[in-house]
């Protein structure tokens, strides 16, 4: 039986679609690892400032392929010129994708914000992130926060980068029956503001990260992965990954479905030491199937 070109292409297309569908089903059933994961460098804040290159080299050897920096005493590039930082990271096979920065200073001074934008661009970063604003007392206060995010975000976007906000637990705790985080998500312009979901803090606030991602996942491009337990008095104590109560198999599976781009480990409390914990966390990520 002869098959014309149109029929052949239709059959091939169906076969390809079927193969892709089968691959997706198998991935959902069997799970797949998160091959590219990074580290928020605040996790090693006790050793990084005195030997930034040495510590980052060790982290690369552990398997971290991405870094997110933070603003320390020597800035978020740790005293290096942007081009020098970019060259060094290329040499160890790591990309610095983002940094937390001094949002308050940048929002109050246009020259400071422009300086941060130029530094981030020069080092090859893609995101500038506000790490913390604190709980607000009124919805007018939250409106002022959203307005400042939109204003700074527009400047950052015009500078060739993306601006975002990293949550803590306070924005996921209800105020007058509503979540401040959802207020920010609906009042910040998606063109100018994206978000980084800290999966520990949303869960610690009593909210479901899976449900939140199902509803708002398209607004999040980065996430923080860290585990915790709660003591009898309700105090949150961070743990190495897999030693706490956060169900990362379910959460990261949903995060992948939602289009999460960057998976960044962060830890601020350690059973032994920061470097032991980040090594254990890297090993956990290599084995985790989501």
């Amino acid at each position: 039986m002869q098959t014309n070109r149109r029929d052949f292409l239709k059959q091939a297309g169906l076969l390809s679609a079927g193969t892709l569908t089968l691959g997706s089903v198998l991935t959902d059933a069997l799970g797949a690892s998160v091959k590219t994961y990074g580290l928020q460098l605040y996790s090693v804040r006790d050793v990084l400032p005195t030997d930034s290159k040495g510590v980052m080299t060790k982290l690369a050897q552990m398997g971290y392929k991405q870094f997110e920096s933070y603003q320390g005493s020597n800035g978020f590039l740790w005293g290096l010129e942007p081009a020098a930082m970019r060259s060094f990271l290329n040499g160890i096979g790591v990309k610095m994708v983002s940094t937390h920065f001094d949002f308050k200073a940048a929002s109050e001074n246009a020259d400071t914000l422009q300086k941060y934008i130029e530094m981030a661009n020069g080092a090859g970063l893609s995101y500038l992130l506000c790490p913390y604003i604190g709980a607000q007392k009124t919805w007018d206060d939250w409106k002022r926060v959203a307005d400042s995010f939109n204003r700074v975000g527009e400047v950052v976007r015009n500078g060739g980068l993306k601006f975002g906000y990293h949550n803590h637990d306070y924005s996921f705790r209800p105020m007058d029956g509503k979540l401040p985080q959802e207020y920010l998500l609906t009042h910040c312009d998606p063109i100018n503001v994206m978000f980084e979901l800290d999966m520990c803090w949303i869960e610690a606030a009593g909210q479901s990260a899976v449900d939140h991602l199902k509803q708002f996942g398209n607004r999040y491009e980065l996430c923080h992965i860290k585990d915790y337990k709660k003591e009898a008095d309700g105090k949150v104590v961070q743990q190495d990954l897999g030693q706490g109560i956060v169900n990362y198999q379910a959460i990261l599976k949903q995060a992948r479905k939602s289009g999460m781009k960057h998976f960044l480990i962060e830890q601020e409390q350690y059973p032994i030491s920061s470097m032991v914990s980040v090594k254990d966390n890297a090993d956990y990520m290599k084995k985790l199937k989501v």
Side-chain angles (χ1 to χ4, degrees):
M1 180 177 69
Q2 289 185 338
T3 302
N4 64 33
R5 183 172 181 273
R6 179 176 294 179
D7 289 340
F8 172 79
L9 290 174
K10 286 172 65 179
Q11 292 169 9
L14 288 172
L15 179 61
S16 297
T19 302
L20 288 172
T21 301
L22 177 61
S24 177
V25 169
L26 287 174
T27 296
D28 285 345
L30 302 177
S33 60
V34 178
K35 294 182 179 179
T36 301
Y37 52 87
L39 183 74
Q40 162 52 260
L41 294 176
Y42 191 72
S43 304
V44 290
R45 63 194 178 280
D46 57 330
V47 293
L48 184 70
T50 56
D51 184 19
S52 58
K53 285 187 175 181
V55 170
M56 286 189 278
T57 299
K58 290 178 181 177
L59 296 173
Q61 293 168 348
M62 293 176 188
Y64 292 101
K65 297 298 183 183
Q66 297 178 342
F67 291 153
E68 178 175 82
S69 192
Y70 70 97
Q71 191 139 0
S73 57
N74 291 325
F76 57 78
L77 297 183
W78 303 100
L80 295 177
E81 292 297 318
M85 176 62 84
R86 190 171 193 165
S87 177
F88 165 71
L89 292 173
N90 285 341
I92 62 173
V94 175
K95 177 175 174 56
M96 187 175 286
V97 296
S98 54
T99 188
H100 287 188
F101 76 114
D102 187 346
F103 174 78
K104 185 175 187 298
S107 66
E108 295 174 350
N109 188 302
D111 290 339
T112 299
L113 178 56
Q114 191 58 41
K115 174 186 175 183
Y116 292 158
I117 291 171
E118 291 173 0
M119 290 173 62
N121 270 317
L125 278 64
S126 300
Y127 303 88
L128 287 174
L129 299 163
C130 170
Y132 184 87
I133 53 170
Q136 305 298 300
K137 294 181 179 180
T138 69
W139 288 111
D140 283 342
D141 292 333
W142 280 111
K143 182 180 185 302
R144 281 189 284 272
V145 169
D147 290 344
S148 66
F149 283 177
N150 284 323
R151 177 174 54 82
V152 171
E154 182 176 13
V155 177
V156 172
R157 177 176 59 82
N158 289 336
L161 301 168
K162 291 185 177 183
F163 168 77
Y165 168 64
H166 161 268
N167 66 276
H168 284 256
D169 60 337
Y170 56 79
S171 63
F172 280 101
R173 296 193 182 278
M175 191 169 85
D176 301 329
K178 296 178 289 186
L179 296 182
Q181 185 79 6
E182 293 185 2
Y183 180 91
L184 293 176
L185 286 160
T186 55
H187 287 78
C188 289
D189 188 342
I191 295 176
N192 295 323
V193 184
M194 42 69 58
F195 291 81
E196 177 176 62
L197 182 61
D198 190 302
M199 296 172 171
C200 165
W201 289 123
I202 178 176
E203 292 275 319
Q207 306 298 324
S208 166
V210 170
D211 291 346
H212 185 73
L213 284 167
K214 286 179 180 178
Q215 185 173 2
F216 296 104
N218 64 327
R219 297 298 303 279
Y220 291 92
E221 297 191 16
L222 310 94
C223 64
H224 276 186
I225 301 168
K226 58 189 176 195
D227 213 342
Y228 75 95
K229 290 181 179 178
K230 278 191 176 181
E231 297 183 340
D233 61 358
K235 181 181 178 181
V236 171
V237 180
Q238 293 180 29
Q239 307 287 316
D240 290 358
L241 293 177
Q243 303 302 308
I245 62 174
V246 183
N247 183 357
Y248 274 114
Q249 189 169 42
I251 295 173
L252 295 185
K253 183 176 182 178
Q254 181 58 49
R256 284 196 323 166
K257 288 182 178 180
S258 299
M260 190 72 69
K261 295 180 179 180
H262 303 287
F263 299 83
L264 304 165
I265 294 166
E266 183 185 40
Q267 189 166 340
E268 300 162 88
Q269 298 169 308
Y270 325 98
I272 299 175
S273 71
S274 63
M275 292 299 283
V276 170
S277 286
V278 296
K279 174 65 166 60
D280 289 346
N281 292 338
D283 292 342
Y284 173 88
M285 291 298 292
K286 292 171 187 174
K287 299 174 185 176
L288 180 66
K289 303 294 183 182
V290 299

